[in-house]
Amino acid sequence: IDNATTRGQVQKLVLNAWATSLDGAAVFPAYKDEQHKAPGPIEPVTSLPLLIGLDHSGLHPAAVLGQVVMGRLNVLDEAIFTDDEAGMTFTEFVEQELAPLLASKYAGMRVDVILDPAITRNQIDGRTVTTILSEAGLSSRPAITNDPRLRRDAVTRWLNKANAFKISSTCPRTLRAMRGGYRFKTNRAGNVTKEVVKDSNSHPGEALQYLCIGLNSGSSGVSTSLMPAGFAPSTAPRVLAAR
């Protein structure tokens, strides 16, 4: 069954399996649990850099952490905004979610943070996202593009490569997004549009896109031979250790 919505309904109603309810089409229909979900936690390789894709827009920030190990992208972890209606500022997110995760599980590793190139400022004190990260001991750089199609393609290319993409069981919200929670809107006529639904699934989905589009040689220590065509080497400096 090719249609993501129909496949989800069959999983849920016929096979009695877990499935995300979809109003539109899944952004990443190439994702399949049986191929891309790890059976348990994936441990980091501490000698290799850790790459963090960061969606810092609005009051619902999200970070997805990964590494490329022997040509395979391992999605290791996630840091997601506090799940309440008020959300949280980016400063709160770094202090309460991202920094504690790095300190507890990834201390001492080189960390490369890839941002939405639309760098925003804290509306309370005027500090930029990069300043807030720097004060937490993290170096960051903007993604080379914010084109939604190119961002999605960067993820899809990993999904389509054999044995090249695994998501750890420690990433429940990213898994939910990839299973179809992250989806395109449908219009009143029932047609799928090019606009994605902005909700709790879109934040980790877009953080993963920034991670994938940030995977190029240089700060991430990844050979250009492993990257999709069109990616230029990064000129970002070697990043600071998490503390």
Side-chain angles (χ1 to χ4, degrees):
I1 301 172
D2 294 327
N3 181 273
T5 302
T6 304
R7 184 169 62 246
Q9 291 172 339
V10 169
Q11 285 181 307
K12 187 174 181 180
L13 300 177
V14 179
L15 303 180
N16 196 31
W18 188 97
T20 299
S21 176
L22 302 178
D23 294 324
V27 171
F28 296 117
Y31 175 83
K32 296 178 176 60
D33 258 358
E34 59 271 22
Q35 294 180 20
H36 301 119
K37 180 183 178 296
I42 303 176
E43 296 299 323
V45 178
T46 57
S47 60
L48 295 177
L50 182 71
L51 197 72
I52 301 177
L54 186 57
D55 176 21
H56 53 77
S57 59
L59 292 174
H60 303 103
V64 173
L65 290 62
Q67 285 184 309
V68 173
V69 180
M70 299 184 67
R72 186 176 77 184
L73 172 57
N74 290 332
V75 180
L76 303 174
D77 231 321
E78 61 186 17
I80 310 293
F81 64 94
T82 301
D83 195 10
D84 57 32
E85 293 183 2
M88 64 196 322
T89 67
F90 185 71
T91 300
E92 292 171 333
F93 170 74
V94 172
E95 293 177 348
Q96 299 175 25
E97 304 289 344
L98 182 58
L101 174 64
L102 293 174
S104 64
K105 297 179 67 173
Y106 305 98
M109 292 180 63
R110 290 169 291 165
V111 181
D112 187 15
V113 182
I114 310 302
L115 304 171
D116 179 340
I119 304 299
T120 57
R121 290 182 179 272
N122 187 316
Q123 293 182 349
I124 298 174
D125 59 19
R127 292 182 301 160
T128 66
V129 167
T130 53
T131 298
I132 295 167
L133 289 169
S134 179
E135 290 174 353
L138 298 169
S139 178
S140 62
R141 57 187 168 100
I144 58 175
T145 180
N146 204 17
D147 185 308
R149 180 181 57 84
L150 295 178
R151 294 188 343 233
R152 293 192 294 268
D153 285 351
V155 178
T156 299
R157 289 175 183 178
W158 285 99
L159 292 171
N160 286 337
K161 290 173 63 177
N163 195 33
F165 185 94
K166 288 289 182 183
I167 300 185
S168 172
S169 61
T170 53
C171 304
R173 296 192 187 186
T174 305
L175 282 167
R176 184 176 66 185
M178 297 300 289
R179 286 165 169 158
Y182 183 40
R183 62 200 187 279
F184 292 104
K185 289 182 178 180
T186 54
N187 59 26
R188 292 183 178 180
N191 300 316
V192 177
T193 72
K194 295 181 179 179
E195 186 178 358
V196 298
V197 176
K198 293 290 187 178
D199 59 11
S200 60
N201 294 300
S202 66
H203 305 301
E206 293 179 9
L208 178 62
Q209 292 174 35
Y210 290 122
L211 187 158
C212 288
I213 212 160
L215 278 171
N216 38 69
S217 67
S219 62
S220 303
V222 181
S223 168
T224 52
S225 65
L226 300 175
M227 296 299 100
F231 282 77
S234 169
T235 57
R238 302 299 278 185
V239 296
L240 302 177
R243 46 175 204 184

